Amino acid sequence: MSESESSSGYDETEAARDIAAESSKQNLYDELTETEQSPFYHVREPDLFMMAMSYGRQKGGRAELQGDRYYPTSRYQLSEKQEWIIKAVAVREERTTEVLKDERLVFRIAQEYANTGIEKLHNRVFGPEDDPMSELTNEVVSLHSENGE
Amino acid sequence: MNDIQIIEVTVEDYRSYEGKETFPLEVDEDENINIIQGQNGVGKSNFLNAITLCFYDKETHLDESEEQGLDTDPFVNLTRLKDLDVGESATGSIEVKLGRDEPKYIFERSFTTAKVGEDEYESETGELQLHQRFGDEWKPVDQPNTRLSEILPTRVHEYFFFDGEKLNGFFSEGYTERIQDAILDVSHIQLLNNAIGHLQNVQSDFEKKSSEFKGETEKKEQAYRDAKATLEDLQDEMEQIEGDIEDAEGEKDRIDEQLADSRDKEVRSKQSQRQVLNDRIENLEDDIVEDRMEAGEALTQAGIVVYNEDALQFAKQEFESAESEGELPPKIQPKFINELLERGECICGENLDESPKKREKLEGLRKDVPEIPGGTIEGKYEIPNVLQTAEDRVENLLEKKRDVEDTRDEIRDAKEELQEISAFLESKEIPDDVDVGKLESQRQDLESRINEMQEQKGQLRSRIQSQEELKEERREEWENEMDKEEKRKTLLRKIEFVRQAKERLRDIKGEILDQVREQTEEYIDEYFNTLHWKDEHFTVELTDEYQINVSSPSGDKGLGSLSAGEQQILALSFMASMSQISGFSAPVVIDTPLGRISSDPKHRIARNIPEYLTGKQVTFLMTDEEYTQEVSAFLGDSVANEYKLDYASEKTEVAGL
């Protein structure tokens, strides 16, 4: 067992400053925030990253990042609440709070969900639905209602 | 005067002026305004046309009603022509003296009208002549047009000599293009355009040379050239469609004017309602973009919590369970524990030296704290906080969604009202008036054609974008091929150098245009506030897309909601800013500056006119309705020369006031 490894099996690591995505998906981030018809027009990139991660959890699952990297945001652009959402996702994924010692893993999980999420979100927004803004809104409202039941 | 001014204008047998008429117009710094007053039709516009005919060999200020007829009307005064037999001709002339405090240039152009049949005439103009003063001597100048270009070139003269009445339509549809064109006119970037054009030709020549290389390079080069040619075709198509849209918009505006001038009160009222509704829809369409952005932001903020509510709940339970099992101590700062140990007194007041068990417990606690993963303690508090925000975020999302829907409904209702107006007008038949029904039907066809063309334009824009990408791809492929052989590299470097130089020039052009746009914004803001009659300060913005927005402390005013008076002074401010930015220190002549403005704002604008274009000679051609006693009183101290024109026996008579 290394010095930094705890008895729980998680290394104590510090997350990188920047949050990564596949560079081939940069255009997906750009189109979602720069197209006037997109519900995410002018949404800040850290917020869109969070949305992609969240949507990815619901719709896609995790996918390891491939190829060159692009950095849509950094840890320091996330709010404290957003960082705790990322940590909660990691706890849920690993079924233990011990995972929080391994910050690199915590953020890797978020990046891998966002990796699928951004693609799914892009398909949803630019897909055949007439009004993705309304559809997504209805979905979020219904899900919240189900979560409360 | 620091600026060049018109010292004198002399017209001889020009149109309504019979014989020789001279207008001394010299002004000074304090009295810088000239007034030439006269009713419609007495020859005011002919005065303005005389100046542009003399300088630029064209009469640019025609009434719409005269547009078809004036070219065929003779230049020489009709009374003089009456005495001519067929085959004979008569000559007239226009002379304009320019200078600062004394004449320095005398520009002159003669014109001849020949009688070719009964009531049939043909006119032609002579070459521009110029005499210039050198010391005490006057000498003819060989190339008068070159000298005139230094004083006031033809491309910018319309910002110095213009018809105020026509400014009424300045801010109708397509005005952003007019503003952009004007800014291009005054930006002195012709040299840059020429340089870019030249580099483009040089680049094409080099690229053609590369076709001498056979084989793969030739194929790649051909593919690149094909992509470029296709792109140019698409760009030409875009230019054509933009022109067609502009023409159709112009035609629609003319129909709107005819309907607005109908004798039938109800038609006029419906037309006016339509204008209000169109302005309203325009504002609502801006609002809905804002509403959608706010809804998008709310969706994002709600989504990132709601989609993860299960994970947050799970994490919350994990933290609670860890705490109940004693793994997670309450939030105790190590610093606080250290202080207790150092002080030797527990928080309950007991002496730690006398209670080793308590000391042991505190030391254990201090040891445990660093073992807790970074920030875990906060998680116990923060995660429930995040979960608690879910409800508010969803409520906010629903509220923003309703805002979007409400705005959308308002737009739909306004569009339905427009359809009702259109249906009403289409079915309207009024004896002895314009054919309202037919006009409305034409208007509908035009609107539908414009919508189709806008759709085509959107598709074309997207195709151009793809083609630009393809062209760049082809260029890179070809350059890679060229790069393979050393002997080709030199040519490639030359092409790259020229391409980069061209791009840099384009960047410089963009930077200059941005600077000019910002400067224009400052000038318009200054002039608008100078001319405006209210004490409050308006902020005028000229956006990157050349849209003008006016806002006051009481809120934004869309261009459509500006009053006629405000639109007029905004247009006057724009023209004045163009004349300032052009850098030419020339005089300004404005026909009907306060045209179509009702009396109250007119008087109040007149009060501020002396502050407009101070230090520059300004000559106003005003109707009797414009130059009222009140206006005269407001301008009084600033007026240097006043003339009154009358029309009798087919000629203009001039009297000094």
Side-chain angles (χ1 to χ4, degrees):
Chain A
M1 200 165 78
S2 72
E3 275 182 17
S4 60
E5 197 177 341
S6 73
S7 56
S8 62
Y10 290 98
D11 289 344
E12 276 191 34
T13 63
E14 196 179 335
R17 188 194 61 184
D18 292 326
I19 293 176
E22 289 179 7
S23 65
S24 62
K25 291 177 182 168
Q26 182 176 356
N27 65 321
L28 306 183
Y29 278 90
D30 291 347
E31 280 180 21
L32 283 165
T33 54
E34 291 169 11
T35 309
E36 201 176 300
Q37 290 71 30
S38 160
F40 305 102
Y41 181 54
H42 282 192
V43 163
R44 289 169 63 239
E45 284 202 322
D47 294 344
L48 183 59
F49 169 81
M50 289 299 297
M51 185 67 182
M53 177 201 76
S54 313
Y55 197 73
R57 273 197 73 239
Q58 284 290 325
K59 311 281 177 179
R62 284 166 62 179
E64 206 175 316
L65 269 65
Q66 307 285 337
D68 293 340
R69 298 287 190 269
Y70 144 73
Y71 300 95
T73 187
S74 78
R75 282 186 66 182
Y76 306 115
Q77 288 180 288
L78 298 175
S79 67
E80 212 172 317
K81 284 193 169 55
Q82 287 175 332
E83 202 160 328
W84 274 108
I85 292 171
I86 287 175
K87 287 176 180 172
V89 166
V91 170
R92 176 74 181 86
E93 191 71 8
E94 296 288 307
R95 304 288 197 278
T96 171
T97 57
E98 293 291 328
V99 69
L100 300 184
K101 290 175 190 164
D102 190 350
E103 286 190 347
R104 251 182 242 166
L105 175 59
V106 168
F107 278 87
R108 193 171 75 227
I109 292 168
Q111 288 172 174
E112 289 179 358
Y113 273 129
N115 194 25
T116 57
I118 195 69
E119 210 164 327
K120 298 271 175 196
L121 204 54
H122 187 274
N123 287 345
R124 179 88 184 256
V125 167
F126 297 104
E129 272 178 8
D130 284 342
D131 187 354
M133 167 86 86
S134 284
E135 299 292 333
L136 278 166
T137 299
N138 293 342
E139 183 175 295
V140 167
V141 173
S142 302
L143 183 61
H144 176 62
S145 170
E146 285 165 23
N147 288 338
E149 283 168 4
Chain B
M1 294 287 285
N2 287 329
D3 282 5
I4 284 187
Q5 58 170 316
I6 299 173
I7 306 282
E8 197 174 272
V9 175
T10 302
V11 289
E12 185 172 6
D13 290 328
Y14 170 66
R15 295 204 181 277
S16 57
Y17 295 92
E18 188 189 346
K20 196 181 257 191
E21 290 288 357
T22 298
F23 294 83
L25 296 172
E26 190 175 352
V27 301
D28 59 31
E29 295 287 342
D30 298 327
E31 295 179 341
N32 67 319
I33 295 176
N34 291 310
I35 304 288
I36 299 176
Q37 178 197 358
Q39 290 177 335
N40 284 327
V42 299
K44 288 194 311 300
S45 294
N46 280 344
F47 178 84
L48 192 50
N49 280 325
I51 297 173
T52 57
L53 185 67
C54 176
F55 284 161
Y56 308 108
D57 199 15
K58 58 184 174 188
E59 297 173 302
T60 42
H61 307 282
L62 308 180
D63 286 343
E64 276 179 18
S65 56
E66 290 173 339
E67 264 175 12
Q68 286 142 347
L70 195 52
D71 279 346
T72 54
D73 278 355
F75 283 145
V76 173
N77 178 266
L78 279 171
T79 312
R80 274 212 58 201
L81 295 174
K82 274 182 190 162
D83 300 333
L84 299 184
D85 293 327
V86 172
E88 288 185 328
S89 63
T91 301
S93 67
I94 301 159
E95 185 186 275
V96 182
K97 287 182 187 167
L98 297 178
R100 287 194 163 79
D101 296 319
E102 57 182 15
K104 184 172 181 186
Y105 307 98
I106 302 176
F107 287 93
E108 187 183 359
R109 192 186 295 273
S110 62
F111 47 85
T112 303
T113 298
K115 189 166 185 177
V116 293
E118 273 316 309
D119 293 329
E120 277 185 62
Y121 301 98
E122 280 179 4
S123 296
E124 61 179 24
T125 50
E127 293 294 316
L128 179 65
Q129 307 290 325
L130 170 62
H131 288 78
Q132 184 172 347
R133 185 204 288 271
F134 295 93
D136 292 333
E137 273 186 78
W138 286 91
K139 288 184 181 170
V141 175
D142 285 343
Q143 292 181 317
N145 285 309
T146 309
R147 197 58 48 87
L148 179 63
S149 283
E150 290 162 6
I151 300 169
L152 192 59
T154 183
R155 71 171 194 285
V156 296
H157 83 266
E158 288 183 12
Y159 308 109
F160 290 82
F161 307 140
F162 59 91
D163 184 348
E165 196 162 17
K166 289 202 175 159
L167 294 182
N168 269 337
F170 191 84
F171 293 110
S172 58
E173 199 129 4
Y175 81 89
T176 53
E177 280 177 32
R178 283 193 284 280
I179 288 183
Q180 190 175 6
D181 290 346
I183 286 179
L184 279 172
D185 282 341
V186 299
S187 299
H188 302 269
I189 55 170
Q190 195 52 38
L191 184 66
L192 277 176
N193 282 338
N194 292 344
I196 291 167
H198 173 70
L199 288 175
Q200 181 61 53
N201 291 338
V202 172
Q203 187 182 344
S204 296
D205 288 346
F206 282 145
E207 287 170 358
K208 271 183 206 156
K209 272 189 193 169
S210 85
S211 64
E212 291 162 12
F213 299 111
K214 301 294 176 194
E216 198 55 30
T217 310
E218 190 183 11
K219 276 189 209 161
K220 300 279 185 200
E221 194 261 345
Q222 188 56 46
Y224 166 49
R225 283 157 71 90
D226 289 348
K228 216 161 58 156
T230 307
L231 177 62
E232 281 164 9
D233 288 347
L234 288 171
Q235 284 166 335
D236 288 347
E237 211 179 314
M238 178 63 110
E239 208 170 299
Q240 175 69 39
I241 209 161
E242 283 174 342
D244 290 348
I245 289 173
E246 202 178 323
D247 291 347
E249 293 284 6
E251 188 57 35
K252 200 174 84 171
D253 288 346
R254 273 191 285 283
I255 290 176
D256 282 338
E257 278 171 26
Q258 281 180 274
L259 290 170
D261 289 340
S262 164
R263 285 187 210 157
D264 187 273
K265 196 177 167 186
E266 208 171 7
V267 171
R268 289 200 305 274
S269 156
K270 291 284 181 195
Q271 185 61 19
S272 163
Q273 276 177 36
R274 171 145 67 191
Q275 183 58 46
V276 171
L277 283 168
N278 278 329
D279 289 344
R280 176 157 174 69
I281 289 172
E282 200 177 314
N283 290 336
L284 285 169
E285 278 169 350
D286 287 343
D287 291 348
I288 207 167
V289 173
E290 290 291 321
D291 289 347
R292 280 179 55 86
M293 276 165 59
E294 285 179 19
E297 176 65 25
L299 171 63
T300 310
Q301 296 307 331
I304 62 182
V305 174
V306 171
Y307 283 131
N308 297 308
E309 267 182 307
D310 60 325
L312 289 159
Q313 286 292 1
F314 179 85
K316 183 184 164 205
Q317 283 161 13
E318 283 295 296
F319 284 123
E320 283 168 358
S321 139
E323 186 186 28
S324 67
E325 287 166 17
E327 291 172 20
L328 194 63
K331 192 176 180 180
I332 300 171
Q333 298 290 338
K335 195 177 165 199
F336 175 63
I337 301 171
N338 280 338
E339 276 176 13
L340 294 179
L341 286 167
E342 279 167 24
R343 204 170 62 194
E345 189 182 308
C346 181
I347 196 165
C348 61
E350 203 165 335
N351 189 325
L352 294 179
D353 291 336
E354 291 166 9
S355 178
K357 275 190 180 176
K358 288 217 166 170
R359 175 177 286 280
E360 200 179 321
K361 195 174 177 186
L362 276 174
E363 280 170 348
L365 202 53
R366 182 175 62 174
K367 201 176 159 194
D368 283 348
V369 171
E371 290 284 317
I372 307 300
T376 306
I377 300 168
E378 284 84 357
K380 178 179 169 290
Y381 299 94
E382 290 295 339
I383 286 180
N385 282 343
V386 176
L387 273 167
Q388 275 169 13
T389 65
E391 191 62 32
D392 287 346
R393 290 175 190 232
V394 169
E395 276 303 314
N396 184 43
L397 171 60
L398 285 169
E399 190 185 318
K400 298 295 177 191
K401 184 184 179 222
R402 277 193 295 274
D403 289 346
V404 172
E405 285 166 353
D406 290 348
T407 310
R408 201 179 282 156
D409 287 348
E410 282 187 68
I411 292 174
R412 196 197 53 226
D413 292 348
K415 285 187 173 169
E416 278 173 10
E417 274 189 70
L418 277 179
Q419 280 173 356
E420 283 165 19
I421 289 173
S422 187
F424 169 83
L425 291 173
E426 202 181 7
S427 63
K428 189 86 179 165
E429 280 182 27
I430 311 162
D432 302 329
D433 194 4
V434 288
D435 190 342
V436 173
K438 191 174 164 192
L439 283 175
E440 184 57 31
S441 168
Q442 285 171 356
R443 194 184 183 283
Q444 284 177 9
D445 291 346
L446 280 167
E447 228 168 28
S448 133
R449 174 88 189 107
I450 289 167
N451 287 340
E452 274 172 31
M453 288 192 291
Q454 291 287 15
E455 177 67 27
Q456 286 169 11
K457 189 177 156 186
Q459 290 171 8
L460 201 50
R461 191 182 296 125
S462 163
R463 284 171 62 199
I464 287 175
Q465 198 180 338
S466 308
Q467 191 63 28
E468 276 169 346
E469 284 164 14
L470 182 70
K471 188 197 86 175
E472 279 309 298
E473 219 173 277
R474 295 278 182 268
R475 186 177 66 78
E476 278 172 25
E477 286 171 3
W478 165 62
E479 285 180 356
N480 289 340
E481 200 59 40
M482 292 271 286
D483 210 19
K484 286 178 187 165
E485 291 183 43
E486 189 58 40
K487 63 179 180 179
R488 296 174 181 170
K489 282 185 181 171
T490 308
L491 184 54
L492 194 62
R493 275 199 294 273
K494 284 182 184 172
I495 293 171
E496 186 55 21
F497 175 78
V498 174
R499 195 180 65 79
Q500 284 188 12
K502 195 178 65 182
E503 291 309 315
R504 183 68 195 115
L505 284 182
R506 285 198 173 125
D507 289 346
I508 292 170
K509 182 178 158 185
E511 285 163 19
I512 291 174
L513 285 175
D514 278 349
Q515 282 174 11
V516 173
R517 187 185 52 73
E518 282 168 21
Q519 214 179 347
T520 305
E521 182 182 73
E522 282 172 27
Y523 276 125
I524 300 177
D525 188 279
E526 180 189 330
Y527 289 126
F528 186 78
N529 280 295
T530 300
L531 285 176
H532 207 288
W533 50 89
K534 286 188 185 163
D535 286 337
E536 59 185 320
H537 183 85
F538 293 83
T539 302
V540 181
E541 183 198 13
L542 181 59
T543 68
D544 294 346
E545 286 82 32
Y546 298 97
Q547 272 187 331
I548 292 186
N549 299 320
V550 179
S551 57
S552 69
S554 50
D556 287 349
K557 293 192 101 172
L559 286 187
S561 62
L562 291 178
S563 67
E566 286 173 323
Q567 289 217 12
Q568 182 78 2
I569 61 170
L570 187 59
L572 285 171
S573 304
F574 176 71
M575 297 303 270
S577 73
M578 290 294 94
S579 66
Q580 289 288 33
I581 286 171
S582 73
F584 294 100
S585 62
V588 171
V589 182
I590 311 176
D591 194 3
T592 40
L594 307 178
R596 294 190 190 174
I597 300 180
S598 52
S599 59
D600 197 26
K602 188 189 299 174
H603 297 154
R604 290 179 294 187
I605 294 169
R607 191 180 57 194
N608 298 332
I609 273 183
E611 300 301 319
Y612 171 70
L613 293 174
T614 47
K616 199 179 257 301
Q617 182 196 44
V618 186
T619 302
F620 291 121
L621 304 167
M622 287 176 153
T623 61
D624 295 352
E625 287 78 29
E626 284 179 290
Y627 198 53
T628 59
Q629 281 188 340
E630 289 89 340
V631 171
S632 168
F634 284 130
L635 297 181
D637 293 343
S638 304
V639 174
N641 301 290
E642 276 181 88
Y643 299 97
K644 185 168 173 62
L645 305 184
D646 277 315
Y647 191 71
S649 308
E650 295 188 346
K651 71 170 195 173
T652 299
E653 289 174 351
V654 184
L657 289 176

